[in-house]
Amino acid sequence: MRAIAAPTRPPQTLSVREAAHKLRKDIPDDIEEVLFTSSEVQARVRELARDICRDYAGKDLIVVGVLKGAFIFMSDLTRAIAEEGIPSVRIDFVKASSYGSSSVSAGSVAVDLCGSGPTRWSGRHVLLVEDIIDSGNTLRRLAADVAGCGAASVRVVALLDKKGRRQVDFEADYTGFAIDDRFIVGYGLDYAETYRCLPYVAVLRPEAYSH
Ligand code: IMP
Ligand code: MG
């Protein structure tokens, strides 16, 4: 097999201004601001995993991701949980939709347990993983549904929380970051199915969804 030649150019050194410019160039025009960089998110995910491992030590834990928005957070969090002390952690997914393709919550929540339910969760400790809490409708409904399946306990971890937007009384047990009322994309969160795969948490420009 032919060896791959090492790059001949030394790593580039960028000035702060050049680095900022480069960063901005890599960011889509619809993005107003990067709220949390990839490394800030990773550091917080690691802290959440440590808290979760401390609280669930010796317990039979099933982590249930809420599709689609939680898929990236779920993937990083569960690997961190496995590394931080619960390698036997199990996973499931459920699907909840309330938004359609608009940026305004519709209020009613459609839940699909994706084949899981009492047989998977009865007598087990379930941790629901959500990308963001807004009105609180989705998680209140999901937590009630999982409890109705006979789970030994139901808790919630949310990466982001717009506390000021609640329509119903609901608090997560673990929260990554409390944020203001701005429309977020990236790290799993979308606007009309776009921008989920940005590695950071960002604010979408209002012009991008107000027309
Ligand atoms: P809730 O039922 O109003 O709490 O809404 C929760 C769901 O709305 C989340 O799982 C997201 O899918 C979606 N959502 C709420 N705020 C945002 C946002 O700023 N960006 C993208 N999705 C959001
Ligand atoms: Mg969601």
Side-chain angles (χ1 to χ4, degrees):
M1 208 166 62
R2 223 151 35 104
I4 297 167
T8 47
R9 242 168 3 115
Q12 246 183 316
T13 319
L14 299 178
S15 70
V16 171
R17 179 187 287 263
E18 284 169 329
H21 178 70
K22 181 172 184 311
L23 205 64
R24 187 65 239 178
K25 261 200 347 195
D26 294 344
I27 292 175
D29 289 342
D30 283 348
I31 300 302
E32 186 167 80
E33 186 191 338
V34 174
L35 215 47
F36 304 108
T37 62
S38 173
S39 43
E40 285 169 334
V41 172
Q42 293 305 323
R44 187 69 188 115
V45 168
R46 182 62 61 169
E47 286 174 354
L48 290 170
R50 287 195 187 119
D51 291 347
I52 290 163
C53 286
R54 183 198 58 219
D55 295 350
Y56 286 93
K59 289 188 176 147
D60 193 6
L61 173 63
I62 298 203
V63 177
V64 177
V66 184
L67 291 170
K68 300 178 191 171
F71 84 109
I72 294 181
F73 178 38
M74 172 83 172
S75 147
D76 286 343
L77 183 71
T78 50
R79 283 177 295 175
I81 288 173
E83 281 179 357
E84 289 295 333
I86 310 186
S88 61
V89 60
R90 270 178 272 199
I91 64 156
D92 276 326
F93 287 97
V94 293
K95 193 159 172 40
S97 17
S98 65
Y99 263 55
S101 61
S102 143
S103 66
V104 182
S105 176
S108 63
V109 181
V111 170
D112 175 354
L113 297 184
C114 300
S116 303
T119 48
R120 296 274 304 167
W121 302 331
S122 181
R124 297 232 165 83
H125 297 281
V126 174
L127 177 65
L128 282 163
V129 180
E130 177 64 302
D131 52 357
I132 189 165
I133 313 181
D134 184 10
S135 68
N137 285 310
T138 304
L139 280 171
R140 200 168 74 152
R141 165 76 195 277
L142 273 173
D145 283 12
V146 175
C149 291
S153 72
V154 186
R155 283 188 182 173
V156 169
V157 54
L159 180 72
L160 303 167
D161 191 350
K162 294 185 194 174
K163 287 192 185 294
R165 295 257 310 164
R166 283 300 190 285
Q167 292 170 5
V168 293
D169 200 18
F170 187 87
E171 288 304 322
D173 299 277
Y174 310 89
T175 303
F177 305 98
I179 59 167
D180 293 335
D181 177 16
R182 300 170 83 187
F183 197 81
I184 304 300
V185 292
Y187 199 70
L189 291 100
D190 74 309
Y191 170 64
E193 295 299 329
T194 58
Y195 300 131
R196 286 194 196 278
C197 299
L198 299 177
Y200 43 78
V201 170
V203 177
L204 191 68
R205 283 188 202 286
E207 309 91 89
Y209 56 84
S210 57
H211 47 77

